[in-house]
Amino acid sequence: MSAIPTELQYTAEHEWLTTGDPATIGVTATAADALGDVVYLELPEVGSQVTAGAVCGEIESTKSVSEIYSPVTGTVVAVNDDAVADPALVNSDPYGRGWLLRVEVVATGPLLSAQEYAELVEG
């Protein structure tokens, strides 16, 4: 298993986010590994609203199509066009160049610490 960065927060749906505002959001290495080769991303448009716990996009891999759940409520201020153009970035650098979107946060949903997320995935 990949190391779980301790400076990030996580959701039970395998998304990560930074604690700043705007928050940067992505999917965890655990999710990227489980998905297999990511081939397509559908992300919300800049300026759109997302709601904590609600679907805000899709991630398609050679194995399946999965929904992306927003860990926060707020306004999308950026999407990662590099990852949209090259979805393999989600696999190769999930906590770096494979980020998905940035959101100005109004409220957060239930979040996990790195230790809590590690316990979840080690189950």
Side-chain angles (χ1 to χ4, degrees), residues 7 29 47 52 58 72-74 79 104:
E7 70 278 12
E58 286 186 349
V72 297
T73 297
V79 296
E104 284 185 354

Side-chain angles (χ1 to χ4, degrees), residues 40-83:
Y40 179 76
L41 294 172
E42 182 179 311
L43 300 175
E45 293 183 18
V46 172
S48 64
Q49 301 293 310
V50 294
T51 303
V55 173
C56 66
E58 286 186 349
I59 186 166
E60 183 176 337
S61 72
T62 54
K63 291 182 179 177
S64 66
V65 176
S66 299
E67 295 176 325
I68 301 168
Y69 295 90
S70 179
V72 297
T73 297
T75 303
V76 177
V77 296
V79 296
N80 187 349
D81 292 329
D82 291 341

Side-chain angles (χ1 to χ4, degrees), residues 8-121:
L8 301 175
Q9 295 181 299
Y10 299 88
T11 69
E13 290 77 29
H14 306 285
E15 286 92 13
W16 59 263
L17 71 152
T18 61
T19 55
D21 192 18
T24 301
I25 297 167
V27 297
T28 66
T30 300
D33 290 344
L35 286 165
D37 294 334
V38 175
V39 295
Y40 179 76
L41 294 172
E42 182 179 311
L43 300 175
E45 293 183 18
V46 172
S48 64
Q49 301 293 310
V50 294
T51 303
V55 173
C56 66
E58 286 186 349
I59 186 166
E60 183 176 337
S61 72
T62 54
K63 291 182 179 177
S64 66
V65 176
S66 299
E67 295 176 325
I68 301 168
Y69 295 90
S70 179
V72 297
T73 297
T75 303
V76 177
V77 296
V79 296
N80 187 349
D81 292 329
D82 291 341
V84 171
D86 182 11
L89 289 173
V90 173
N91 296 110
S92 64
D93 193 8
Y95 299 113
R97 295 182 59 220
W99 65 275
L100 300 178
L101 58 147
R102 292 194 170 114
V103 176
E104 284 185 354
V105 178
V106 173
T108 63
L111 300 175
L112 305 171
S113 69
Q115 181 175 348
E116 291 168 329
Y117 182 70
E119 292 169 3
L120 175 77
V121 297

